[in-house]
Amino acid sequence: MIEMTMAERKAFNKREKIIKSAIKIVNRRGYSGTTMEEVAAELLMTKGSLYYYFKNKSDLMFQCNSIVLLEAQEDLKRVLLDESLSIKKRLQEMVFIHIHYAIEENEVFNLIMRPEQLFSEEQLEEVLHLRDEYAAFFDKIIAKGIETKDFNTEDPIMLRMFILGAMNWIQQWYKPNGRLSKKEIQQRFWNYILKLLT
Amino acid sequence: MIEMTMAERKAFNKREKIIKSAIKIVNRRGYSGTTMEEVAAELLMTKGSLYYYFKNKSDLMFQCNSIVLLEAQEDLKRVLLDESLSIKKRLQEMVFIHIHYAIEENEVFNLIMRPEQLFSEEQLEEVLHLRDEYAAFFDKIIAKGIETKDFNTEDPIMLRMFILGAMNWIQQWYKPNGRLSKKEIQQRFWNYILKLLT
Amino acid sequence: MIEMTMAERKAFNKREKIIKSAIKIVNRRGYSGTTMEEVAAELLMTKGSLYYYFKNKSDLMFQCNSIVLLEAQEDLKRVLLDESLSIKKRLQEMVFIHIHYAIEENEVFNLIMRPEQLFSEEQLEEVLHLRDEYAAFFDKIIAKGIETKDFNTEDPIMLRMFILGAMNWIQQWYKPNGRLSKKEIQQRFWNYILKLLT
Amino acid sequence: MIEMTMAERKAFNKREKIIKSAIKIVNRRGYSGTTMEEVAAELLMTKGSLYYYFKNKSDLMFQCNSIVLLEAQEDLKRVLLDESLSIKKRLQEMVFIHIHYAIEENEVFNLIMRPEQLFSEEQLEEVLHLRDEYAAFFDKIIAKGIETKDFNTEDPIMLRMFILGAMNWIQQWYKPNGRLSKKEIQQRFWNYILKLLT
DNA sequence: GATGAATGAGAGTTCATTCAT
DNA sequence: TATGAATGAACTCTCATTCAT
């Protein structure tokens, strides 16, 4: 979107590679369990080098969080604005997307449990802002559905929190080879959600 | 329940006091943010002394988890077995209890996010067992409700996971002086749950 | 002066031992050249142990500075209040004391060159306060001498700065086996100072 | 003085620019507080480039020191050799020059507090040599003054050390907006010095 | 000439854990 | 029982230095 020289692009790519790597580690070890050393090792770098790309650990963690959230937002937005789909279908897609991220990017997703402890004030503000934006996508489609009488509920905000909570929690018990596949979970959760909304 | 000498009882009490203190700290700082130092300080002890009562930090954390879960189990059991109440009423009470714990004992409750990282294999087994037991209380009442036609759902296990997830997540956004009081949240969540079950 | 239990006294002594050790290192390496590692090694401890006694490096450095300055203040005060000595004799003694410290405790004395960079605001305030107090001892005896007509000068503050500066600088060139001994330097400097004051 | 090709001259100029920049930083941050990064940033370069012009940090610091000292020497020499001025007047000018440098180039001037720590043996030798040369200018004019009976003192070397020390120390307490201006300080210090010399 | 990138040694700091008393 | 003291491993972060391009 923004013009970059070759060198800038290269640096940008490297930064992204690091973030992707860090995301993997965070998903395995959690935030405080992740060490700069391990992130570096995964990339065959030395930890000192990471500081060329990121101010400090908290900065790196912050960017991990942002990148995942922004990606998910992109996916949601595409569906939200796709007028070829019915309201219900759109929400369903969004639910599927959310569950996908909750399962695949379990720790990093919107799941920093105590972000106040990890992030600087400035970062925290943006983290919370990103989360709000994310949630707003769901609010929007629900509001539309209420307008069109597809959905019906009082206090849609609280209901959205109920629903997102249920989905976020999946990562706590999901196991790749469990009784139900990701697809089946998505389908059943969607059924519950639909029931709540009508 | 078990016979104890005076000395044993004294030690037992002390252990409990330490756990209660630790729970407070964990709720404030999270697991990895909790230091033995701070736990000891809260009790006007030195951290060395803690090791007389607990093998190590992980042991202390484990007991924190257990005590909260056992307490909550006690509360649930009392309601579950109270035949003077209707099935629905009983589940409602249980929901209220669960939300109460999720809010008041937010971090410790059933919420060690990645227990594999914190606990030894042995401990982990028990942690997971306790969780299962806990969840089973809900399964039981739901099963009863299905029998009596109070409730109606296929795959009650999955639905229970949906519901517990939604409730567990409350701690992520609950603020003591938020728009809705604990009581109001309990009520609304109960409404949603009832809708899902009928 | 203050009541202490055995244990407290022991800790106090240890702390003092560490400070004394640190002072040696600082005199050898300068402030930023001093590492916690080396201070610990000198005492056959590990650097981690230092943190049992001092909050951080800056705290240790601060206490080094304070202890030397306070000791020197004690020495000065004893002379200043010794009414059995003439004013001139008292100032002479004080000059000798100052030169002694400047030579023997060269780096730590009042000589942190850029204290703003090393100390926290709080510490800095006390450091500067201690320095001011120290200088005030000289101001007092000079003021007395002016009263008694022993001394004669306008702007005694500026003159005191001139004199202390000259003495402080000794550490920059003093060598134990140089042309003049400490005693001779003290005597000559006193001659110059007397000339300036009369 | 020495023939240079265009390219050499260009490099020479660049080197000087870097030194000037470095001097600024050193005056602000002290020797060990100065980073190659910051020096480079001030010049909109990258720190890697500095190594094209200087072997290492110590080399750069060394040249900073030299350049300031050589400049000051130039100034002193001009006055020293100006036979149109009286001996006293000449010394007065030299004192003013010295105080000027002590205030304006506070950290770099002759003030590397522990040069043994920073410089290689080779460099150290030259640093000390430059300092001696510098001091010798003062020795020369004082010697002349003694010859002409303008001044009178035994051990003029020691007295010169006393005087230079007093002046060097100014940087420890001088503040741009203090009670006395630079000019006033220069005047008073000159009065003291004159008193010492007659 | 200049730079982006990487390195590696070492610094300060934290903290669970141990143990003699 | 309790503690003061010490430890050591691990961690974050800094920075002078190098080098291919």
Side-chain angles (χ1 to χ4, degrees), chain D residues 46-102:
Chain D
T46 60
K47 60 179 164 177
S49 311
L50 292 183
Y51 286 85
Y52 182 78
Y53 297 97
F54 299 92
K55 225 174 95 270
N56 50 32
K57 181 183 176 182
S58 142
D59 183 28
L60 174 56
M61 296 293 104
F62 170 69
Q63 310 240 17
C64 287
N65 185 69
S66 299
I67 224 173
V68 175
L69 226 57
L70 286 171
E71 255 181 48
Q73 277 191 22
E74 282 306 310
D75 288 355
L76 288 190
K77 197 188 286 181
R78 204 175 313 111
V79 175
L80 181 66
L81 301 178
D82 183 348
E83 310 249 333
S84 74
L85 299 174
S86 72
I87 301 286
K88 270 188 194 168
K89 190 64 191 166
R90 277 186 251 174
L91 179 54
Q92 184 187 356
E93 291 279 339
M94 288 166 72
V95 163
F96 277 40
I97 288 168
H98 186 88
I99 291 178
H100 166 77
Y101 275 102

Side-chain angles (χ1 to χ4, degrees), chain C residues 1 69-79 97 101 137:
Chain C
M1 335 175 167
L69 227 55
L70 286 171
E71 256 180 48
Q73 277 192 22
E74 281 306 310
D75 289 353
L76 288 190
K77 197 189 285 180
R78 205 174 315 114
V79 174
I97 289 168
Y101 275 102
F137 283 109

Side-chain angles (χ1 to χ4, degrees), chain C:
Chain C
M1 335 175 167
I2 293 163
E3 296 292 326
M4 279 196 269
T5 68
M6 271 271 269
E8 280 168 346
R9 178 158 333 180
K10 222 166 142 191
F12 186 85
N13 284 339
K14 182 84 190 208
R15 232 191 317 269
E16 218 175 11
K17 237 184 229 164
I18 296 173
I19 294 172
K20 292 290 187 189
S21 232
I23 287 176
K24 260 194 250 170
I25 312 279
V26 174
N27 280 334
R28 215 180 303 145
R29 303 242 188 264
Y31 271 80
S32 68
T34 297
T35 72
M36 297 301 267
E37 185 83 49
E38 193 175 357
V39 173
E42 178 97 3
L43 290 151
L44 304 176
M45 307 170 73
T46 60
K47 66 180 165 174
S49 310
L50 291 183
Y51 287 84
Y52 182 76
Y53 295 96
F54 300 92
K55 230 174 92 274
N56 49 34
K57 179 182 175 183
S58 141
D59 183 26
L60 174 56
M61 297 292 102
F62 171 68
Q63 308 239 19
C64 288
N65 186 69
S66 298
I67 225 174
V68 174
L69 227 55
L70 286 171
E71 256 180 48
Q73 277 192 22
E74 281 306 310
D75 289 353
L76 288 190
K77 197 189 285 180
R78 205 174 315 114
V79 174
L80 181 65
L81 301 177
D82 184 347
E83 309 248 332
S84 74
L85 300 174
S86 71
I87 301 283
K88 270 186 192 168
K89 188 67 191 164
R90 277 188 251 173
L91 179 54
Q92 185 190 353
E93 291 278 341
M94 289 168 69
V95 162
F96 277 39
I97 289 168
H98 186 89
I99 292 177
H100 165 76
Y101 275 102
I103 281 176
E104 305 296 348
E105 308 283 5
N106 51 81
E107 178 85 16
V108 196
F109 191 28
N110 54 5
L111 325 169
I112 311 144
M113 292 302 166
R114 298 219 151 338
E116 316 82 31
Q117 280 170 28
L118 190 62
F119 292 135
S120 70
E121 207 154 333
E122 217 181 347
Q123 291 172 332
L124 189 56
E125 206 173 328
E126 187 163 342
V127 167
L128 297 178
H129 181 64
L130 278 175
R131 289 186 185 195
D132 287 348
E133 267 187 350
Y134 186 88
F137 283 109
F138 284 90
D139 290 336
K140 265 179 223 149
I141 195 74
I142 291 172
K144 266 194 191 159
I146 291 176
E147 256 177 57
T148 60
K149 311 273 188 201
D150 278 307
F151 303 145
N152 176 31
T153 182
E154 359 156 353
D155 202 343
I157 298 293
M158 182 64 33
L159 181 53
R160 181 258 294 161
M161 287 166 116
F162 185 92
I163 292 168
L164 279 185
M167 292 196 287
N168 289 335
W169 201 254
I170 294 174
Q171 25 156 349
Q172 297 301 317
W173 49 263
Y174 177 77
K175 290 217 179 80
N177 297 315
R179 176 167 65 92
L180 297 187
S181 68
K182 180 167 91 176
K183 218 177 228 174
E184 288 166 319
I185 294 170
Q186 286 171 321
Q187 189 55 52
R188 294 202 188 194
F189 268 53
W190 169 241
N191 288 342
Y192 299 142
I193 291 166
L194 201 54
K195 195 166 195 178
L196 285 167
L197 275 165
T198 51

Side-chain angles (χ1 to χ4, degrees), chain B residues 51-107:
Chain B
Y51 287 84
Y52 182 78
Y53 297 98
F54 300 91
K55 225 174 94 269
N56 50 33
K57 180 181 176 183
S58 140
D59 183 27
L60 173 56
M61 297 293 103
F62 171 67
Q63 309 241 15
C64 287
N65 186 69
S66 299
I67 225 175
V68 174
L69 226 57
L70 287 171
E71 254 181 50
Q73 278 191 21
E74 281 306 310
D75 288 355
L76 288 190
K77 196 187 289 181
R78 203 175 317 114
V79 174
L80 182 65
L81 301 178
D82 183 347
E83 310 249 334
S84 75
L85 299 173
S86 73
I87 302 283
K88 268 188 195 168
K89 188 65 190 164
R90 277 186 252 172
L91 179 55
Q92 183 188 358
E93 290 279 340
M94 289 168 71
V95 163
F96 277 40
I97 288 168
H98 187 89
I99 292 178
H100 166 77
Y101 276 100
I103 282 177
E104 305 296 347
E105 309 283 2
N106 51 81
E107 179 84 18

Side-chain angles (χ1 to χ4, degrees), chain D residues 99-100 103-104 174 176 180-187:
Chain D
I99 291 178
H100 166 77
I103 282 177
E104 305 297 348
Y174 176 78
L180 297 186
S181 68
K182 181 167 90 176
K183 220 178 226 172
E184 286 167 319
I185 293 169
Q186 286 170 322
Q187 189 56 54

